[in-house]
Amino acid sequence: VPAAPAVTITSVTNQPGTGVTITWTNCFSGHNYQVVFKNALTNGSWTALGAPVSAAGPTASFTDTAALGKARYYRVQTE
């Protein structure tokens, strides 16, 4: 079964009072992508953020509203 190519995170923007918005490219319309995070790179596993995002075009984004005042590392996985 063919797999979707890896995405490229193009920006991670802190929006005070709103959260952190992660934007990525190299998407397939209708394909699902899951944003995951770690609070420290030494943590063993990644934690999913919300429901998967269904891309509507070549670019997609997700806003992490729980990131206010926290340091986090993000990754986007294809599903």
Side-chain angles (χ1 to χ4, degrees):
V1 176
V7 299
T8 301
I9 295 177
T10 57
S11 69
V12 178
T13 308
N14 183 23
Q15 301 168 326
T18 303
V20 174
T21 299
I22 302 100
T23 304
W24 60 93
T25 61
N26 206 22
C27 299
F28 286 108
S29 188
H31 193 79
N32 289 331
Y33 300 88
Q34 179 66 58
V35 177
V36 295
F37 77 97
K38 286 184 178 188
N39 288 326
L41 290 177
T42 55
N43 291 2
S45 61
W46 293 84
T47 302
L49 279 172
V53 174
S54 182
T59 303
S61 64
F62 177 84
T63 300
D64 179 5
T65 57
L68 298 172
K70 298 177 183 176
R72 288 193 170 177
Y73 299 89
Y74 296 100
R75 159 171 106 172
V76 178
Q77 303 175 155
T78 60
E79 294 207 327

